[in-house]
Amino acid sequence: FQRLRPYIQIPPVVKETYFTEEDRKRQDSIYNLRPKKFESLNVLNLNTVDTLTLQRIPGIGVGYSRAIISYRERLGGFVSTAQLKEIEGLPERIQEWFTIDSLPKNSTLSLNKSDFKTLVRHPYLSYEQVKVIMTHIRKYGPLRSWRELQLYPEFTPQDIQRLTPYFVFE
């Protein structure tokens, strides 16, 4: 021990408070940057709510709020609160927090005028379905109704029902 004693340094006794007043103020300001959660159920319009307001819902953080907004933008707006179930990992009773007033303006796409890339980005259209649409337009001209697409096995009645609010035949 005597040989090692010059190399050993023992720090002085630490005071009872580990943080200075400045550290405490900084920590409080970082805490205050987080949005305060709603204490009771507030019903929000799903098509107009922003990410900061979404983060105030218990169980929704930055990731889920971004996922909801991103999905809303890809869809062109929500038609039903049940569509939230299509976003993976959201809390089960999240639908209670929302209502749908109406679809936002310019939320519909023209099936006949849209290009392949635009259509394939829509969450309700698969790659195969977009190929069928493009082939049909190239061979037979513009689509006039959903009945024309129902003839193809790629489009089920459920697909047509989901797609109807988002597409037009102009």
Side-chain angles (χ1 to χ4, degrees), residues 31-39 52 55-57:
Y31 178 76
N32 287 336
L33 289 176
R34 295 182 184 154
K36 303 279 187 262
K37 297 292 184 180
F38 290 125
E39 293 181 15
L52 289 176
Q55 290 175 33
R56 295 188 64 195
I57 299 172

Side-chain angles (χ1 to χ4, degrees), residues 6-152:
Y7 301 105
I8 298 173
Q9 293 179 355
I10 300 174
V13 177
V14 180
K15 296 179 185 177
E16 288 182 20
T17 59
Y18 292 97
F19 297 109
T20 64
E21 191 61 34
E22 256 182 55
D23 291 337
R24 194 174 315 276
K25 285 178 185 175
R26 182 177 169 274
Q27 200 172 26
D28 288 345
S29 69
I30 291 172
Y31 178 76
N32 287 336
L33 289 176
R34 295 182 184 154
K36 303 279 187 262
K37 297 292 184 180
F38 290 125
E39 293 181 15
S40 62
L41 183 69
N42 290 357
V43 180
L44 308 167
N45 184 354
L46 190 53
N47 284 325
T48 59
V49 70
D50 63 346
T51 54
L52 289 176
T53 308
L54 283 171
Q55 290 175 33
R56 295 188 64 195
I57 299 172
I60 301 294
V62 174
Y64 285 145
S65 66
R66 285 183 186 159
I68 292 169
I69 298 299
S70 171
Y71 195 67
R72 178 179 74 193
E73 289 171 358
R74 286 179 54 218
L75 274 174
F78 289 101
V79 177
S80 165
T81 57
Q83 289 173 300
L84 286 171
K85 291 180 182 178
E86 298 165 7
I87 301 172
E88 197 170 323
L90 286 178
E92 286 185 27
R93 299 180 65 192
I94 194 70
Q95 296 173 13
E96 296 173 0
W97 289 86
F98 299 106
T99 184
I100 307 288
D101 288 344
S102 63
L103 271 176
K105 294 178 182 178
N106 302 326
S107 63
T108 56
L109 291 171
S110 171
L111 274 177
N112 294 314
K113 294 179 183 176
S114 298
D115 63 343
F116 189 90
K117 285 184 181 181
T118 304
L119 292 177
V120 84
R121 285 188 193 121
H122 197 278
Y124 288 168
L125 284 173
S126 70
Y127 180 82
E128 295 300 320
Q129 290 172 329
V130 175
K131 276 180 26 181
V132 167
I133 292 169
M134 291 299 161
T135 304
H136 181 89
I137 291 170
R138 191 177 63 247
K139 285 184 177 179
Y140 307 110
L143 291 161
R144 290 179 293 283
S145 72
W146 291 108
R147 276 186 253 137
E148 294 178 52
L149 290 176
Q150 285 178 333
L151 300 174
Y152 296 101

